[in-house]
Amino acid sequence: MAGWDTPPPLLDVPVTVVLTTRSDRHAEVPRLIAVARHAFGAEVDVRAVSYVADASPRDPFAPDLPWVRRDPLDGIGSAINAGVLAGVGRTLVVVDTSVELDASALVALGHDVGRPTQARVRTADGVWRNGARLLRPGALPWSDDRSAPNDDIVFGADQPVVSMPQAALVAAPCLPDERTTVTAWTALAAATTSTAVRTRDVGAVRRTVEPGRTVDASVADVVASWRDRTPDRDGAVVAGPPLPPWGLRPVTPTERIRSDDEHLTWAVKIAAPAGPEGDGWGDVHFAAELAGALERLGQRVRIDRRDAHVRDDDGDDDVTLAVRGLDRVPPNPASVNLLWVISHPDDVADTELRAFDRAFAAGPAWAADASARAGVRVDPLLQATDPTVFHPGAAAGPDVGRAVFVGSTRGAARPVVADAVALGADLRVHGPGWEDVVPSSMRGAASLDRSEVAGAYAGARVVLNDHWPDMAAGGFVSNRVFDVLASGGVVVTDPVAGLADLLDVPTLAVAHSREELAVLLDPAYPWPSAAVRAEVAARVAAEHSFDARARVLLDAARAERARLRR
């Protein structure tokens, strides 16, 4: 059972009571049936539905009880839908067997119901549950735990003890997380009747057990669909730990003072591990150069590597920027969340894109496809270079006049290098892992610092470049291309979707085959003059610098911050 194909019939009876029960709590069903009959009369339309949650054991079905069916369903959403399928009276009341209440409370819950309504609930450990409030659109709602809330209007219910008028009935979503199921169901029911969900104090209502959170892609997508809703409260929040496996984080309100819009605090998240193991990762250099550009715009920036994607103090971050490489980063609902996909696009799920306030991708072709597929805006934002590091300079050293490649083997074949070796090019390869791959006469340094890389690019006759297949197909131009061009060098690369439209410059050429590569590596090939290379370098520095990218990101962060009213 999931939803339904056609709406249930509307019954001319005062109340329909649906009792949901986890499959190992069937012993509680007679108690609630007795309460319902005491509240609404012996002939009340009352039905019981069993469901499995958290792999719960299955109790037998007592034959004298009004079961809807003799087998349990998968989750409380399916149980609600099955319970109403035979029709609904003028008022629907749904109560789970994990709830204890008396007849007077049930009467109060079902009385004068003009909109979806939840009873105020006290949990077994004394915590109040006053409904779900959407403090931060796109994040898990907060279960209002105040002992005396100021109003009874909420975003949705958060406990399975609710009532609604016949006209508000909609199918419940079938999600593994009970709280999100109940919230989404009642919020949609309220929207159907152009009303709002409310909580009502009906007397003593106790929840004996509250299930844990179960978050999967379907839950994450439902939560993300609320991103454009108006928040229930204008204020800051703090975020709890991520809920596996999708990384959604619960939020609670806080009195944190809002920082000014000019000088924001950024947390740039990258996949590189902490310590020396990650120091040589390209993500580290990328993030450092981006941070410098943001700081030149008056921003405060910290870089968080893999072990610091979630911090105890990240409630102070105004902006979380996930530079998406190998690792998925959980959004921080205490901040604005920006996603910039710069590599490995095949690893990025649509659910991940929908979880961020704004998403960017360094591959325009992939961004267009992802936007259409995921149903959210994904803007192209190419990789970049740092002109303070990569700029035309005096050519000197062993790389002058040679073909150069800078990078590791990545543990996989790099065809552009293999082809150059096979052609007997005057090649010099810098980076780790090449000992058993290229002849010793072609091997350079195992590592180069940034200034040495810039010198190699500026002095080489031609620099070789390649891409992962998914990046090439998605139009992700390697930042090596921008670095070489900004250095006044020339670069030969493998084909990339849309490259000619992105970078139409005479110092960039594409080799579609080994034969084309041979032509481009020929010392007699007529590459442009130094003056033309300098013109290209100036253009790249102006249009494709980290400063240019930082301005785009800052504008987006401020716009989202205003939208979220943080």
Side-chain angles (χ1 to χ4, degrees):
M1 180 75 191
W4 53 63
D5 296 327
T6 58
L10 307 181
L11 307 179
D12 188 22
V13 297
V15 179
T16 293
V17 180
V18 172
L19 306 178
T20 60
T21 177
R22 206 172 74 172
S23 59
D24 58 348
R25 296 198 192 107
H26 291 182
E28 297 297 316
V29 174
R31 170 182 61 82
L32 280 180
I33 290 174
V35 171
R37 288 172 175 167
H38 186 194
F40 301 115
E43 302 304 316
V44 64
D45 178 18
V46 59
R47 312 161 188 172
V49 193
S50 175
Y51 64 92
V52 175
D54 303 322
S56 51
R58 303 186 180 198
D59 290 345
F61 286 79
D64 57 340
L65 299 180
W67 295 107
V68 168
R69 52 190 292 164
R70 297 291 176 144
D71 58 298
L73 293 155
D74 185 14
I76 195 170
S78 286
I80 292 170
N81 293 336
V84 302
L85 199 58
V88 176
R90 292 187 291 276
T91 297
L92 169 66
V93 178
V94 174
V95 183
D96 191 74
T97 52
S98 59
V99 174
E100 293 179 345
L101 77 173
D102 60 18
S104 63
L106 197 59
V107 168
L109 179 62
H111 175 69
D112 189 24
V113 179
R115 63 179 69 186
T117 301
Q118 178 200 303
R120 291 188 69 203
V121 175
R122 199 86 178 260
T123 66
D125 55 1
V127 176
W128 285 101
R129 291 283 184 255
N130 301 307
R133 296 182 183 270
L134 193 66
L135 303 183
R136 204 290 192 188
L140 283 169
W142 170 55
S143 287
D144 191 339
D145 58 3
R146 294 173 294 176
S147 59
N150 296 327
D151 61 77
D152 64 350
I153 300 300
V154 293
F155 175 68
D158 63 355
Q159 299 295 303
V161 52
V162 300
S163 59
M164 66 179 63
Q166 189 181 70
L169 181 67
V170 293
C174 298
L175 306 170
D177 186 62
E178 179 200 274
R179 214 175 297 182
T180 306
T181 297
V182 175
T183 300
W185 179 49
T186 52
L188 181 59
T192 299
T193 51
S194 300
T195 59
V197 181
R198 70 175 178 184
T199 52
R200 175 184 285 178
D201 188 350
V202 300
V205 180
R206 180 174 178 267
R207 187 92 191 265
T208 59
V209 60
E210 190 175 37
R213 308 304 302 263
T214 303
V215 174
D216 69 354
S218 65
V219 173
D221 277 344
V222 168
V223 171
S225 72
W226 299 328
R227 61 191 300 158
D228 295 324
R229 299 290 293 262
T230 301
D232 292 355
R233 178 180 180 272
D234 184 11
V237 299
V238 293
L243 301 176
W246 283 96
L248 287 183
R249 302 176 65 181
V251 296
T252 54
T254 180
E255 298 303 320
R256 177 166 63 98
I257 298 175
R258 175 190 173 117
S259 57
D260 69 87
D261 288 332
E262 290 299 314
H263 307 289
L264 303 177
T265 298
W266 292 64
V268 178
K269 312 287 186 178
I270 60 175
E277 179 187 356
D279 290 345
W281 282 43
D283 292 16
V284 173
H285 301 300
F286 189 99
E289 290 165 5
L290 175 60
L294 287 167
E295 288 166 350
R296 287 190 287 275
L297 293 173
Q299 307 304 291
R300 299 178 292 267
V301 186
R302 64 172 289 159
I303 297 171
D304 290 330
R305 298 196 191 183
R306 181 181 295 162
D307 62 323
H309 284 175
V310 176
R311 310 187 322 271
D312 291 339
D313 62 345
D314 60 14
D316 294 329
D317 298 337
D318 297 310
V319 185
T320 297
L321 171 61
V323 178
R324 180 60 154 94
L326 286 172
D327 289 351
R328 185 173 61 85
V329 177
N332 174 11
S335 71
V336 169
N337 289 281
L338 307 180
L339 177 69
W340 189 5
V341 182
I342 66 168
S343 65
H344 302 288
D346 282 357
D347 294 342
V348 181
D350 295 347
T351 295
E352 181 177 353
L353 293 171
R354 290 190 282 260
F356 284 78
D357 300 311
R358 283 285 298 277
F360 300 89
W366 186 88
D369 289 344
S371 294
R373 186 183 65 243
V376 295
R377 174 180 172 184
V378 182
D379 292 318
L381 190 65
L382 304 182
Q383 292 201 37
T385 188
D386 184 352
T388 65
V389 177
F390 297 97
H391 53 80
D399 294 323
V400 172
R402 305 180 72 173
V404 169
F405 180 86
V406 180
S408 72
T409 61
R410 298 191 307 205
R414 303 198 75 152
V416 71
V417 175
D419 285 346
V421 171
L423 290 168
D426 184 12
L427 176 66
R428 189 170 173 83
V429 179
H430 298 286
W434 295 103
E435 290 79 5
D436 299 323
V437 181
V438 300
S440 59
S441 61
M442 294 182 175
R443 292 200 301 268
S447 65
L448 299 175
D449 62 30
R450 299 297 274 170
S451 63
E452 290 171 331
V453 173
Y457 290 167
R461 177 167 48 83
V462 60
V463 177
L464 300 180
N465 179 70
D466 63 358
H467 296 83
W468 290 102
D470 59 344
M471 293 181 65
F476 287 77
V477 181
S478 167
N479 66 318
R480 183 188 291 112
V481 171
F482 298 107
D483 291 342
V484 174
L485 297 178
S487 300
V490 297
V491 59
V492 173
T493 189
D494 52 356
V496 176
L499 181 60
D501 297 326
L502 299 173
L503 285 170
D504 184 14
V505 295
T507 50
L508 170 63
V510 175
H512 297 85
S513 65
R514 181 177 293 183
E515 291 72 25
E516 289 186 5
L517 181 62
V519 172
L520 295 167
L521 290 180
D522 189 327
Y525 187 83
W527 289 107
S529 66
V532 172
R533 298 182 188 194
E535 290 176 3
V536 172
R539 174 181 162 188
V540 169
E543 298 177 5
H544 300 292
S545 67
F546 277 104
D547 292 277
R549 305 296 185 254
R551 284 189 289 272
V552 173
L553 293 168
L554 179 56
D555 288 346
R558 286 173 172 161
E560 290 304 304
R561 185 173 163 85
R563 181 182 69 83
L564 293 167
R565 298 189 299 162
R566 302 201 61 75

